[in-house]
Amino acid sequence: MTARLPEPSADERAHSDHLLAMMREDIAVNGPMPFSRFMERALYTPGLGYYSAGKAKFGAEGDFVTAPELGPLFAQCVVRSLKPILASLGDEAEFLELGGGSGSFAEVAIGAMQREGVLPRRYMILEPSADLRERQRERLALALAPDVFARVVWLDAPPEESWAGVLFANEVIDALPTTRFTMRDGEVYEEYVVLDGDGRLGITYRPADALVGGAVRHVERDLGRDFEAGYRTEILPQLPYWMQAVAGTLEKGAMLFIDYGYPRSEFYLPERTDGTLRAFYRHYMHADALHAPGLQDITASVDFTALAEAGNNAGFGVAAYVPQAQFLIASGLQEFFEEGYMGTEDEATRYRLAQQVKKLTMPDEMGERFQAMLFARGLNAVVLPAELMLEDRGSRL
Ligand SMILES: C[S@@+](CC[C@H](N)C(=O)[O-])C[C@H]1O[C@@H](n2cnc3c(N)ncnc32)[C@H](O)[C@@H]1O
């Protein structure tokens, strides 16, 4: 499976070996490591994890391209969709971006908020990676006027005081460390990472604890079907707790999550017998999550029904659930495209703009694979964007 992957450089190999040595020691001392902990370590170990070390990651030189990396259209549309909500909250409004990546979303979004007259009191970024935080800071300090940059704050933890405004996260839920499980004799078994005799990483299964077992049984009940023997997939049993932690103090406002994924019935299709977990290494997508820890991204699709349940538990209602293409089209995509197109005579720039629209909206690119889920709490229904409400597919959840 990994045979055709590009070879890491000597430096990269040494980097990965360093992280591997730490994992081996952990397993030797503590025994088999739940897959979710392996993923957390592979992505977020300070200084060594995929998101925590200095690798390019995003864009053409990196491993994958996210919507904000393609160009400004995505962030412009997101701001347009949230404008009525931010405007209704007036001076109270704050904005919290989870997982700011390279800072490309924040840079365009803050400019668009200024132009739309809805610049929030504070633009907060909650980013676990110290390396990414530094890159975001450098980028925004260069791009923004000093008085606007002064509104940007990096948080170490979700806000403790109650606040009003909007929480936004693009491609963050897919990066949360996921639990993997399989079924044996009608019982739930959780996946663990172990060492073989040569010190290589491998997997084993152990009976699931009450948290994981309970979460799997809940999904089975909701689907009205028991998982077949050997069915292997992912679940985020901690999602409701995570949601409560990041959004519990958002008393009035909205949350917008955009990510790739499906409603539960599609996520756990009987024929999807090996889950949705994927690794990305220099634009190669493959299934070996244990390959070269620290050098590759690891991600799983989002069960949007689970996300809706977690939001409901935290006191929010789902206001809209829409494929990304419809979300962007209902949020001014055509207008922003035309503005960009007419604003230049350069054919290459126009071509790139057209390519951006294609990537964001074509069904086999991001248009149908990505979904937008908007939650609201304590808001007057009238302030929710009408065009978006018309596109709602919430009945599929
Ligand atoms: C795939 S990247 C997406 C980055 C950016 N949102 C974009 O669209 O380009 C995932 C981001 O989520 C961050 N992240 C992971 N877990 C997080 C958490 N629990 N809270 C906030 N951010 C998180 C990562 O560090 C990274 O910045």
Side-chain angles (χ1 to χ4, degrees), residues 328-387:
L328 297 176
I329 291 163
S331 307
L333 183 64
Q334 178 79 20
E335 178 192 322
F336 294 123
F337 169 72
E338 283 171 4
E339 204 177 276
Y341 197 88
M342 301 313 283
T344 179
E345 304 261 289
D346 179 38
E347 284 308 317
T349 308
R350 288 180 161 181
Y351 174 77
R352 279 198 300 274
L353 209 58
Q355 287 301 105
Q356 220 182 115
V357 171
K358 263 189 165 171
K359 283 226 158 66
L360 291 170
T361 59
M362 295 289 275
D364 53 343
E365 298 267 2
M366 293 179 167
E368 295 275 327
R369 291 192 297 119
F370 281 67
Q371 319 294 326
M373 184 169 266
L374 180 71
F375 290 93
R377 163 147 97 181
L379 286 180
N380 181 340
V382 175
V383 305
L384 295 174
E387 294 84 355

Side-chain angles (χ1 to χ4, degrees), residues 43-44 50-52 57-58 64-69 74 97-105 125-130 132 136 168-177 242 246 258-260 297 299:
L43 297 184
Y44 305 111
Y50 177 76
Y51 281 108
S52 312
K57 299 182 263 284
F58 308 98
F64 55 86
V65 179
T66 61
E69 297 295 326
F74 177 80
E97 183 183 359
L98 302 183
S102 70
S104 54
F105 177 84
I125 302 181
L126 182 59
E127 170 57 69
S129 157
L132 288 179
Q136 293 157 8
F168 173 73
N170 186 59
E171 288 207 43
V172 172
I173 308 294
D174 72 73
L176 296 180
W242 180 84
V246 296
I258 303 184
D259 223 312
Y260 38 87
D297 191 20
T299 138

Side-chain angles (χ1 to χ4, degrees), residues 1-39:
M1 174 58 79
T2 51
R4 68 194 171 88
L5 293 177
E7 269 302 309
S9 66
D11 279 356
E12 286 179 325
R13 177 54 63 200
H15 175 119
S16 182
D17 284 348
H18 188 170
L19 182 55
L20 257 174
M22 287 173 68
M23 289 175 167
R24 282 198 191 100
E25 194 180 321
D26 186 333
I27 294 171
V29 173
N30 300 310
M33 180 186 280
F35 180 83
S36 55
R37 182 134 59 89
F38 165 81
M39 181 164 161

